[in-house]
Amino acid sequence: QVQLVESGGGLVQAGGSLRLSCAASRSIFSIYAMGWYRQAPGKQRELVATNTNSGRTNYADSVKGRFGIFRDSAKNTVYLQMNSLKPEDTAVYYCNAIKDGLSSWGQGTQVTVSS
């Protein structure tokens, strides 16, 4: 499995930006897919964005045009750039990696967007 450590969450005003980071314990070249999910209080965990090692990306409709996911292979890190944040983006954000059919999760990082 892959150990993942997220960072970069915090409190931001609506319209602001944050960048989340997810550092992997091994080379991300070998990781088929990495992504970000989020879970708001009382709601199920939902996909935010994913990125495969072939460069294919996928975004939830609610974040298209505002969020961007990208990898830095030299740092074994995947980022989620979040712009034009809205109060409804408030949630715990989790990093996910899929390698050899196994799914690994980070511990999560809180993002709070104030109105």
Side-chain angles (χ1 to χ4, degrees):
Q1 287 206 331
V2 182
Q3 280 70 52
L4 303 168
V5 178
E6 301 107 330
S7 60
L11 173 64
V12 64
Q13 288 189 333
S17 298
L18 281 175
R19 177 178 290 188
L20 305 183
S21 300
C22 173
S25 60
R26 59 197 306 165
S27 172
I28 61 176
F29 280 119
S30 65
I31 299 175
Y32 166 67
M34 297 190 74
W36 290 93
Y37 293 72
R38 67 186 180 188
Q39 187 166 18
K43 295 188 176 182
Q44 289 189 334
R45 190 173 298 188
E46 62 176 4
L47 179 146
V48 176
T50 60
N51 173 277
T52 69
N53 56 8
S54 64
R56 178 172 293 184
T57 59
N58 183 45
Y59 294 95
D61 288 343
S62 60
V63 307
K64 283 181 181 177
R66 300 189 297 123
F67 290 13
I69 184 171
F70 58 99
R71 300 187 185 201
D72 185 337
S73 298
K75 297 182 178 179
N76 291 330
T77 299
V78 64
Y79 300 95
L80 183 69
Q81 178 67 43
M82 305 186 294
N83 300 324
S84 302
L85 283 160
K86 305 175 181 179
E88 51 264 44
D89 294 318
T90 295
V92 178
Y93 283 70
Y94 296 91
C95 182
N96 175 262
I98 299 176
K99 175 177 167 53
D100 299 332
L102 296 176
S103 181
S104 301
W105 294 92
Q107 81 286 355
T109 185
Q110 177 71 46
V111 172
T112 303
V113 184
S114 63
S115 57

